Amino acid sequence: MQIGVEARDVVTFRGDGVIVNLFEGVQAPTGATGALDDALRGLIRSAIRAGEFTGKAGESLLLHTGGRIPATRVLVVGLGKAERFDLDGVRTVMGGALRTLRRSGCRRVASVIHGTGAGGLDLREAAQAATEGALLGLYTFDRYKAEKEEKRVDRLTLLVRERPQIAPARAGVLIGQTVAEAVTFARDLVNEPSNTLTPQELANRAQAVCKRTRGLSCEILNRRQITRLGMGALLGVAQGSGRDPVLIILRYRGGRGRVPAVGLVGKGITFDSGGISIKPSEGMEQMKGDMAGGAAVVGAMTAIARLRPRVNVAAVVPACENLPDARALKPGDVLRAMNGKTIEVINTDAEGRLILADALCYARQLGCERLVDVATLTGACVVALGRIRTGAFGNDRSWIDQVLAAGVGAGEKIWQMPLDEEYGEQIKSDVAVVKNTGGRPGGAITAAKFLEHFVEKTPWVHLDIAGTADTDREKGYT
Ligand code: ZN
Ligand code: ZN
């Protein structure tokens, strides 16, 4: 879908649909919505009077204009209470609105940039959010379907009031497109089945996207190189699979020197059966998405390379399959991670933390000054926070605060969880330095506590996205 910006009145837009809005409780629309309603001889007002439309968040009203304006349809979307409306509201509203217009067969649509009038949102930021919401809301994955979605929106025009507003809105659109393309790349990887998206294929796709993206370099380490590095934990998880593990390393240089200021580490289990501690078969197909953390960090690197912040960033993705086999890892086995620490394996389904242990050691060896790891790590995190918020754990107050603030800016709901010393007791092993599970109580926390053994003093935040990596229904821009 192409996205453009024009300074024009909604009433004069020629196309299949225009999107305008209303805050909750407004009886007589003003601004763009008011002007449109006048041209429609009060159709919107009469829907409000009839109680059909109140402007609540999530509400929408699709009207056919019957030739009263050049556009054939008007979609009025509810923004909810004005004081609560924010940039994530812009994304959510645009995602739903674009799907509604696509369903009704619109190809060329226009929209006001929600929240920039009475809402007081910054124009550039709101244009970015509108772009992200529109592109992500229209996302489909129909690669393996016989019947493809035929209806498509070809062009979205964001409308501003005056010409000087075009430049900032366009700048926002450009950033929004970059971010949405990165997210789409990650979504495609998560949706891809594991017989296609093998560890090597994940590496191939990372390599391909690096070739297409200026400023990104990519290095793939094979089994031999991983062995030479002493990554016993990653090798241990991979040993039940017929497919070799890989370590994917992406680098972006935007700052001085060679040292990465930030290291992103993402879990890349392309299928998690649980291994010998096998999972129940019900829902196991969803375990093709156990590389979502890896997909997220590779996607993030593509956006970083295009947005060019003045900082060096590296990403490390350990990728392999977790399968039961005659050679597979067994409960009671002891592994040695890259930093020499020994790990007693209690449950082979707690494999994510094992591969992350070696990847975090590797990121530290690269010299990364701060770390963020992203992983679909624990069912316990889903129990604690549901499917709304990602759990955050960390060892450095100011770095945690920066990551949480970045989440607020991006519309990612994150909640900080504790990491007290005492939780470490649960993962003390009788035969090794640490064991890979600490039982049911505080399972998301003891998983983070385990990872802490491998980051040592480096400022680090662990994001457990087990509940937020996927969704089974369309909502807003997800
Ligand atoms: Zn597992
Ligand atoms: Zn897993």
Side-chain angles (χ1 to χ4, degrees):
M1 180 173 69
Q2 284 187 310
I3 303 181
V5 179
E6 282 180 30
R8 98 171 22 247
D9 207 316
V10 280
V11 177
T12 66
F13 175 74
R14 266 174 207 289
D16 303 311
V18 296
I19 304 165
V20 291
N21 60 55
L22 199 73
F23 280 114
E24 184 175 340
V26 173
Q27 293 298 317
T30 54
T33 311
L36 193 67
D37 192 39
D38 289 340
L40 294 174
R41 297 185 212 130
L43 270 182
I44 299 171
R45 259 167 299 172
S46 63
I48 295 169
R49 266 198 308 275
E52 251 176 81
F53 186 75
T54 65
K56 280 206 177 82
E59 261 184 18
S60 69
L61 176 72
L62 183 63
L63 300 167
H64 280 251
T65 60
R68 287 172 186 153
I69 59 168
T72 52
R73 297 172 195 79
V74 167
L75 183 68
V76 193
V77 294
L79 302 185
K81 295 206 165 69
E83 63 275 19
R84 284 238 200 118
F85 191 69
D86 59 10
L87 290 170
D88 208 46
V90 178
R91 287 187 199 93
T92 302
V93 156
M94 286 299 276
L98 267 290
R99 275 200 304 280
T100 301
L101 291 178
R102 177 172 66 188
R103 221 175 295 129
S104 73
C106 293
R107 298 179 76 102
R108 285 172 51 238
V109 306
S111 177
V112 298
I113 304 176
H114 311 290
T116 51
L121 295 181
D122 175 76
L123 181 65
R124 187 187 59 77
E125 289 178 346
Q128 178 190 338
T131 303
E132 290 168 358
L135 290 169
L136 296 176
L138 290 174
Y139 175 82
T140 53
F141 184 78
D142 57 7
R143 204 171 161 184
Y144 300 103
K145 282 192 171 176
E147 283 165 38
K148 314 275 185 199
E149 172 68 72
E150 293 204 339
K151 290 178 176 169
R152 46 177 296 165
V153 181
D154 296 324
R155 191 175 167 78
L156 166 66
T157 307
L158 296 179
L159 304 175
V160 294
R161 286 172 295 278
E162 297 146 16
R163 297 193 66 81
Q165 295 178 312
I166 292 179
R170 279 206 178 129
V173 168
L174 230 72
I175 300 171
Q177 284 172 321
T178 302
V179 171
E181 278 167 35
V183 175
T184 299
F185 173 80
R187 286 181 177 185
D188 281 344
L189 292 177
V190 175
N191 284 321
E192 197 67 71
S194 75
N195 59 333
T196 305
L197 197 82
T198 60
Q200 185 58 50
E201 177 62 15
L202 182 57
N204 294 346
R205 296 214 188 169
Q207 210 153 30
V209 77
C210 286
K211 274 204 186 108
R212 289 199 301 274
T213 313
R214 254 187 58 197
L216 267 193
S217 65
C218 183
E219 190 185 352
I220 311 292
L221 303 188
N222 61 22
R223 178 186 284 278
R224 230 186 40 248
Q225 294 162 301
I226 290 168
T227 308
R228 210 176 299 141
L229 283 165
M231 296 186 157
L234 173 57
L235 287 167
V237 175
Q239 77 193 30
S241 164
R243 295 185 167 107
D244 275 351
V246 293
L247 190 76
I248 304 163
I249 304 124
L250 271 59
R251 283 165 165 277
Y252 161 77
R253 265 183 74 182
R256 290 166 193 278
R258 292 199 55 83
V259 173
V262 180
L264 307 174
V265 176
K267 172 179 172 183
I269 294 286
T270 59
F271 189 78
D272 183 12
S273 70
I276 294 296
S277 314
I278 198 161
K279 291 176 183 289
S281 55
E282 171 127 15
M284 202 201 268
E285 71 283 353
Q286 289 163 21
M287 289 300 118
K288 68 176 182 178
D290 207 21
M291 29 54 66
V297 305
V298 176
M301 289 300 281
T302 68
I304 288 165
R306 289 172 62 188
L307 296 171
R308 309 204 62 75
R310 298 167 73 89
V311 63
N312 295 338
V313 189
V316 180
V317 178
C320 69
E321 292 180 319
N322 185 22
L323 293 173
D325 177 81
R327 287 168 303 175
L329 193 61
K330 300 177 294 296
D333 288 357
V334 175
L335 303 172
R336 190 180 295 275
M338 187 180 169
N339 65 349
K341 284 197 182 176
T342 52
I343 304 163
E344 182 190 8
V345 177
I346 301 298
N347 187 322
T348 65
D349 195 11
E351 84 300 336
R353 67 199 71 178
L354 297 176
I355 68 168
L356 288 171
D358 279 333
L360 288 165
C361 291
Y362 188 83
R364 288 183 55 236
Q365 188 181 287
L366 288 180
C368 296
E369 289 166 346
R370 284 144 199 264
L371 296 168
V372 176
D373 82 73
V374 192
T376 47
L377 206 65
T378 66
C381 194
V382 190
V383 173
L385 297 175
R387 298 192 154 271
I388 308 298
R389 282 190 185 259
T390 289
F393 308 75
N395 60 358
D396 183 275
R397 183 71 261 162
S398 102
W399 185 227
I400 294 169
D401 287 341
Q402 284 184 63
V403 173
L404 293 175
V408 172
E412 296 279 356
K413 292 186 191 290
I414 304 175
W415 194 256
Q416 195 196 338
M417 302 278 282
L419 202 62
D420 302 80
E421 259 331 293
E422 293 93 319
Y423 289 106
E425 291 294 325
Q426 281 171 247
I427 53 168
K428 278 194 175 145
S429 166
D430 292 334
V431 300
V433 174
V434 64
K435 58 185 181 182
N436 81 330
T437 57
R440 285 172 59 82
I445 306 166
T446 51
K449 219 54 203 163
F450 176 93
L451 296 177
E452 198 181 20
H453 276 270
F454 304 91
V455 296
E456 302 191 14
K457 294 279 165 281
T458 308
W460 152 79
V461 172
H462 157 57
L463 298 174
D464 192 331
I465 59 167
T468 48
D470 59 11
T471 174
D472 51 13
R473 66 197 179 97
E474 286 179 344
K475 186 175 175 257
Y477 57 96
T478 58

